[in-house]
Amino acid sequence: MTRSPGPFTGRTLAGLAADLRQGRTTSAELTRLALDAIAALNPRLNAFVTVDAEGALDAAQRAGEELAGGTDRGPLHGVPVAVKDLIMVAGLPVTMGSRHFAGHVPSADAECVARLRRAGAVIVGTTTTHEFAYGPTGDRSATGPARNPWDPSRMSGGSSGGSAAAVAAGLVPLALGTDTGGSVRIPAALCGVAGFKPAYGAIPADGVFPLSRTFDHVGVLAAGPADCLTAYHCLTGPSGRDAPARPARPGGRTGDAAWAVPPGGTAPTEPVGHGGAGPAWPREPGRADEEHRPHPHGPGDSGRVRVAWLDPGGLFPCDPRVVRAVRAVAGALEEVRLPAGAGEALRETYTTIQSCEAAAVHAGRLEEAPELFDPEVLDRLRAAAETPGWRYVRAVEARAELAEAVGVVSDGHDVLALPTVPIVAPPLGQRETEIDGKPAAVRAALLALTSPWNVLALPALTVPAGTVDGLPVGLQLVCRPGCEPLLFEVARTLRVPG
Amino acid sequence: MTRSPGPFTGRTLAGLAADLRQGRTTSAELTRLALDAIAALNPRLNAFVTVDAEGALDAAQRAGEELAGGTDRGPLHGVPVAVKDLIMVAGLPVTMGSRHFAGHVPSADAECVARLRRAGAVIVGTTTTHEFAYGPTGDRSATGPARNPWDPSRMSGGSSGGSAAAVAAGLVPLALGTDTGGSVRIPAALCGVAGFKPAYGAIPADGVFPLSRTFDHVGVLAAGPADCLTAYHCLTGPSGRDAPARPARPGGRTGDAAWAVPPGGTAPTEPVGHGGAGPAWPREPGRADEEHRPHPHGPGDSGRVRVAWLDPGGLFPCDPRVVRAVRAVAGALEEVRLPAGAGEALRETYTTIQSCEAAAVHAGRLEEAPELFDPEVLDRLRAAAETPGWRYVRAVEARAELAEAVGVVSDGHDVLALPTVPIVAPPLGQRETEIDGKPAAVRAALLALTSPWNVLALPALTVPAGTVDGLPVGLQLVCRPGCEPLLFEVARTLRVPG
């Protein structure tokens, strides 16, 4: 089974931008296409929670007038986008997928939403999240499960399941998500789209409902990696920070930051510039040479980026068909392995820190109105609240030690490649499965290959890597903070089957 | 009852340094005085755990030869000092006051001990600590309780009780301690000496057995504040960091750091220079003018340092006689109060963070050999290990919020003054007492006025402020990191009765 194509299937942000500027379409037309497709397909997918047709058409009208009048806010100007139902959008209901926030209408935009608006994007609505983003399956929400466009009986993955489904179905070309242990990358992989979790803090989390503050990231989902990079630039570059028309293209700063996470697990929050990678937008006269200068990380062109295959078996048992499919896309690479025990240590560190931080966020609600939680979410939060504090302290210490251990493995490589998720999308509601003939917990499997990069605060990109049994799989690329352009350089060289 | 004077009673580091250089004494003579006095008085006080007569006399011999040969390591050169039995001293038994470390002999010095040695100090031995520094009473240790020189039936306070008793009895002129919630200042106040807890990290804690890593400080105890400042300079200035002879006097940098604690509760780790305050050592020709230049924090001389009295009742019930005595020494000051609830919030924040961090340090010992702990320490650690992780997460957040709240109170003032401890030294072993006719827990009382400044990572100095019922009380002075010289400026203006 394959997804049925929506109005944005096969279209790129660069193509849409060109069409808008060359009169082949208008923002209003794109927005109506999005709204009509959502109306038609959402009953099947449950990707959207709230659709703001009126607000979107108004914004599209303004965007069209600005563009016609010569004000150009860059590549998102006039483009319909979706926002996860956990990121504040002023004036729209934002529910966190929870009955605790039924009817909640924030009065102010999250910073990332404000940046979207300054970039001229048209927000068409909010997308389904696992309740409070507390689950990688995407199927426990007060607003119903997000369904996988490739097979609506299967889970989208989560927690940003609605954003992934909306992009995969071609309802919008771009959506915002959040990623605490893989919540952008897991649904992106299971739904066959690209998803990018930048460095910690690169896109500010202000106005995003927290799950686990030291792991929470804002990320982007789009059909392919080039569109993720474009959105990332818009959300982090000068155009994202104030409101200029014709944003200047930031310079190609590409740092040399170490793999190691500093104490406390934070990473540089300054976004990097375009470097030598990524699409140039808007193209400025006399800047094209930047596209071709040698990359500071390799001795020469992008062919010299040092990529290694990270054996995913060191993190979790993997479906060998998924590994084969992803590895075929990654190509022939030197293979590296984590130190013995690092996989288990990363998983424990993730679980302990995330449990304590999530329980801290929800302690009041657990006390005062536990009945409003989804029962599974409630059980998990109650268990999380039992985690002793000394284990949290130990986990924070382990986080720094793991960064060193993994740094040794990746020494000599710029990018690590591995599958994003060790399995294809399970059926909705499934919690136990088999991997290579052995029993495995679905949640643990979904998170196993993505959460390490939240623990280590490393940027990670997932790109579509074909299908297994007709369901998508993702290739994940991981780098040091400051080397983000390399992820996109590598992604551009991949040849995906089908 | 008053303490019987020891060989260093009434002598200052500056006086000893002058005597050493002008041939009125030698390091060997001072060291023998210390060793003889320890031999005579320690059976009564239990201030020392291990006395290294041979090593001390060797070091004194070398110091004497260096000084005679014209090599001058500064004001500690040749001076006998003591080190808390929780700070690693290479080659000496260091037991943490615990049977877990009976006979433990570290192979390397703690960084602060290495600095003492580079400054030419003569380490005469290790001093009693409450087991693992986990208690402000100083009376639960595998090596027995430290006793108060003013009344050996009373507690020294803790956890650096032996260091305070050793200085109070005049056995040594200087001792190192550690301070996690008051463990330098509480015993200093109860034993009638001065104690200084610098900014977080100003004296490195490397090689110090941890209690609660985000609160642990290394501090100094001496008869008066001027000697604390001298020792602080030796442990943080250039002479402390490498091994020059004739250390240059650092420039008078006095920062303008905010009261606020940065996320994670850390404060600047760079020590400040002498500023306009403090004794000049070694006096260098042409530098005397620095002593008199206007202080950057006030419009003019030290009389303009803005000192406020912080109502201690906002933190804990206080013995009114202690408050009266301390306030008389502090003089007429504007009074400020903490916001309602801040005292309770500071106490809870301290207890939660310290419990989780201490339990993390001792989790293995609690599992494998609980019987080796003192029973009271064991009970407390087991209770600490039950603290849920979400409370720790909340406490870390509260720590930052409290810094802001207290910053508002202290806005417009350079130094806050309050009692160091709300009561005089209780009898050994006492756990419940009465304060102003109402029941109060001894441990909570001892910590109540000191631990807030560990939570807020603010430098704090305690100075002797007379006696109540023949037992010493302390005046505590608190400032922003970077303003340490002001504490000593204010301390120099105090007139202590008796």
Side-chain angles (χ1 to χ4, degrees):
Chain A
M1 194 183 297
T2 59
R3 65 206 163 115
S4 51
F8 295 97
T9 301
R11 303 180 79 169
T12 64
L13 288 178
L16 292 170
D19 290 351
L20 280 166
R21 283 158 187 78
Q22 289 160 25
R24 289 191 292 270
T25 189
T26 65
S27 178
E29 185 183 34
L30 295 177
T31 301
R32 274 190 298 267
L33 286 172
L35 294 170
D36 290 351
I38 295 166
L41 291 173
N42 202 52
R44 184 167 169 250
L45 299 178
N46 197 36
F48 279 84
V49 179
T50 298
V51 178
D52 182 23
E54 190 181 346
L57 290 168
D58 282 356
Q61 182 68 27
R62 283 196 304 278
E65 289 165 4
E66 282 191 339
L67 279 168
T71 296
D72 191 332
R73 294 179 178 272
L76 301 187
H77 202 163
V79 173
V81 302
V83 175
K84 185 180 185 179
D85 186 29
L86 185 89
I87 299 174
M88 302 310 149
V89 182
L92 280 194
V94 176
T95 74
M96 330 310 157
S98 178
R99 289 192 291 159
H100 284 283
F101 284 91
H104 168 255
V105 178
S107 57
D109 285 333
E111 175 60 21
C112 54
V113 169
R115 291 181 181 192
L116 273 186
R117 291 199 206 271
R118 289 199 291 265
V122 173
I123 295 165
V124 297
T126 57
T127 54
T128 301
T129 175
H130 202 100
E131 185 174 16
F132 288 118
Y134 194 49
T137 52
D139 55 2
R140 290 287 190 149
S141 174
T143 61
R147 294 171 179 274
N148 196 310
W150 294 69
D151 177 352
S153 74
R154 292 182 179 262
M155 56 179 72
S156 59
S159 62
S160 311
S163 287
V167 171
L171 307 181
V172 284
L174 177 69
L176 291 187
T178 61
D179 190 314
T180 299
S183 281
V184 160
R185 291 161 288 155
I186 295 163
L190 298 191
C191 293
V193 302
F196 180 46
K197 177 200 86 67
Y200 184 76
I203 303 175
D206 310 65
V208 175
F209 198 90
L211 170 57
S212 174
R213 288 182 198 275
T214 71
F215 290 151
D216 290 346
H217 295 68
V218 178
V220 292
L221 300 96
D227 286 355
C228 287
L229 181 60
T230 299
Y232 173 63
H233 286 155
C234 292
L235 289 164
T236 58
S239 62
R241 294 185 182 164
D242 35 42
R246 288 216 165 272
R249 178 154 172 258
R253 186 169 70 78
T254 307
D256 218 0
W259 287 87
V261 177
T266 58
T269 59
E270 279 297 301
V272 297
H274 290 215
W281 183 275
R283 284 202 180 270
E284 291 173 43
R287 302 293 294 273
D289 57 312
E290 278 195 13
E291 300 292 294
H292 303 292
R293 65 180 179 176
H295 198 282
H297 283 274
D301 62 5
S302 64
R304 303 295 295 270
V305 176
R306 298 160 302 175
V307 186
W309 176 259
L310 179 68
D311 171 26
L315 288 164
F316 205 80
C318 297
D319 183 334
R321 300 169 305 160
V322 171
V323 176
R324 268 197 304 276
V326 173
R327 192 150 191 184
V329 170
L333 297 171
E334 182 186 344
E335 180 167 328
V336 295
R337 287 163 196 272
L338 291 180
E344 178 65 16
L346 282 162
R347 205 157 48 247
E348 275 189 21
T349 299
Y350 175 74
T351 303
T352 301
I353 293 178
Q354 194 242 30
S355 294
C356 295
E357 295 185 352
V361 168
H362 295 291
R365 276 174 288 276
L366 285 170
E367 179 73 23
E368 290 152 23
E371 71 283 2
L372 294 182
F373 287 101
D374 166 88
E376 183 184 86
V377 169
L378 177 62
D379 284 351
R380 293 180 57 224
L381 279 173
R382 280 181 166 156
E386 299 293 314
T387 309
W390 67 268
R391 286 197 184 276
Y392 181 86
V393 173
R394 286 281 185 94
V396 170
E397 291 168 4
R399 192 177 180 184
E401 291 159 16
L402 283 164
E404 282 189 42
V406 175
V408 171
V409 169
S410 57
D411 200 29
H413 300 285
D414 300 308
V415 170
L416 297 179
L418 71 163
T420 309
V421 178
I423 51 176
V424 295
L428 284 167
Q430 191 187 64
R431 293 298 180 262
E432 300 293 332
T433 186
E434 284 200 350
I435 299 180
D436 205 14
K438 290 183 195 130
V442 166
R443 261 197 310 273
L446 292 177
L447 286 161
L449 308 186
T450 50
S451 61
W453 321 120
N454 298 71
V455 171
L456 302 174
L458 301 180
L461 171 70
T462 180
V463 295
T467 59
V468 166
D469 273 356
L471 291 167
V473 298
L475 164 63
Q476 190 177 198
L477 300 169
V478 182
C479 72
R480 300 176 187 82
C483 298
E484 292 82 348
L486 301 187
L487 300 179
F488 297 92
E489 258 184 69
V490 172
R492 279 190 300 172
T493 67
L494 302 173
R495 260 175 285 175
V496 181
Chain B
M1 193 184 296
T2 59
R3 66 205 160 115
S4 51
F8 295 96
T9 301
R11 302 180 80 168
T12 64
L13 289 178
L16 291 170
D19 290 350
L20 280 166
R21 283 158 187 77
Q22 290 160 24
R24 289 191 292 270
T25 190
T26 64
S27 179
E29 185 183 33
L30 295 178
T31 301
R32 274 189 298 268
L33 285 172
L35 293 170
D36 290 350
I38 295 167
L41 290 173
N42 203 51
R44 184 167 170 250
L45 299 177
N46 197 36
F48 279 84
V49 179
T50 297
V51 179
D52 181 24
E54 190 181 346
L57 289 168
D58 282 354
Q61 183 67 28
R62 283 196 303 279
E65 288 166 3
E66 282 191 338
L67 279 169
T71 297
D72 191 332
R73 295 179 178 273
L76 301 187
H77 202 164
V79 173
V81 302
V83 175
K84 186 180 184 178
D85 185 30
L86 184 88
I87 299 174
M88 303 309 149
V89 182
L92 280 194
V94 176
T95 74
M96 332 308 156
S98 177
R99 289 191 291 158
H100 284 283
F101 284 90
H104 168 255
V105 178
S107 58
D109 284 334
E111 174 61 21
C112 55
V113 169
R115 290 181 181 193
L116 273 186
R117 291 199 206 270
R118 288 199 292 265
V122 173
I123 295 166
V124 297
T126 57
T127 54
T128 302
T129 175
H130 201 99
E131 185 175 15
F132 288 118
Y134 194 49
T137 53
D139 55 1
R140 289 287 190 149
S141 174
T143 61
R147 294 171 178 274
N148 196 308
W150 295 68
D151 177 352
S153 74
R154 291 182 180 263
M155 55 179 73
S156 59
S159 61
S160 312
S163 287
V167 170
L171 307 181
V172 284
L174 177 69
L176 290 188
T178 60
D179 189 314
T180 300
S183 280
V184 161
R185 291 161 289 156
I186 294 163
L190 297 191
C191 292
V193 302
F196 180 45
K197 177 199 84 67
Y200 184 76
I203 303 174
D206 310 62
V208 175
F209 198 90
L211 170 57
S212 174
R213 289 182 197 274
T214 71
F215 290 150
D216 290 346
H217 295 68
V218 178
V220 292
L221 300 97
D227 286 354
C228 287
L229 181 61
T230 299
Y232 173 63
H233 286 156
C234 292
L235 289 165
T236 57
S239 61
R241 293 186 184 162
D242 35 42
R246 288 216 168 272
R249 179 154 171 258
R253 187 171 69 78
T254 306
D256 218 1
W259 286 85
V261 177
T266 58
T269 57
E270 279 297 301
V272 296
H274 288 214
W281 182 274
R283 282 199 182 272
E284 292 172 41
R287 302 292 294 271
D289 57 311
E290 277 194 15
E291 300 293 295
H292 303 293
R293 67 180 179 176
H295 197 282
H297 283 274
D301 62 5
S302 65
R304 304 293 294 272
V305 176
R306 297 160 304 175
V307 186
W309 175 260
L310 180 68
D311 172 25
L315 288 165
F316 205 80
C318 297
D319 182 335
R321 301 169 306 163
V322 171
V323 177
R324 269 197 303 277
V326 173
R327 192 151 190 181
V329 171
L333 296 172
E334 182 186 342
E335 180 167 327
V336 295
R337 287 164 196 272
L338 291 180
E344 178 65 17
L346 282 161
R347 204 154 53 246
E348 275 189 22
T349 299
Y350 174 74
T351 303
T352 301
I353 293 178
Q354 194 242 29
S355 294
C356 295
E357 295 184 352
V361 168
H362 295 291
R365 277 174 288 275
L366 285 170
E367 179 73 22
E368 291 152 24
E371 70 283 2
L372 295 182
F373 286 102
D374 166 90
E376 183 184 87
V377 169
L378 177 62
D379 284 351
R380 293 179 59 225
L381 279 173
R382 281 182 164 156
E386 300 292 313
T387 309
W390 67 268
R391 286 197 185 277
Y392 180 86
V393 172
R394 285 280 185 95
V396 170
E397 291 168 2
R399 191 177 180 184
E401 290 158 16
L402 283 163
E404 281 189 43
V406 175
V408 171
V409 169
S410 56
D411 200 28
H413 299 284
D414 300 308
V415 171
L416 297 179
L418 72 163
T420 309
V421 178
I423 53 177
V424 295
L428 285 166
Q430 190 188 63
R431 292 298 180 261
E432 299 294 332
T433 186
E434 284 201 350
I435 299 179
D436 206 14
K438 290 182 195 131
V442 167
R443 260 197 311 272
L446 293 177
L447 286 161
L449 308 186
T450 49
S451 61
W453 322 120
N454 298 70
V455 171
L456 302 174
L458 301 180
L461 171 70
T462 180
V463 295
T467 58
V468 166
D469 274 356
L471 290 166
V473 298
L475 165 62
Q476 189 177 201
L477 302 169
V478 182
C479 72
R480 300 174 187 84
C483 299
E484 292 83 348
L486 301 186
L487 299 179
F488 296 92
E489 259 185 69
V490 172
R492 279 190 300 173
T493 67
L494 303 173
R495 260 174 287 176
V496 181

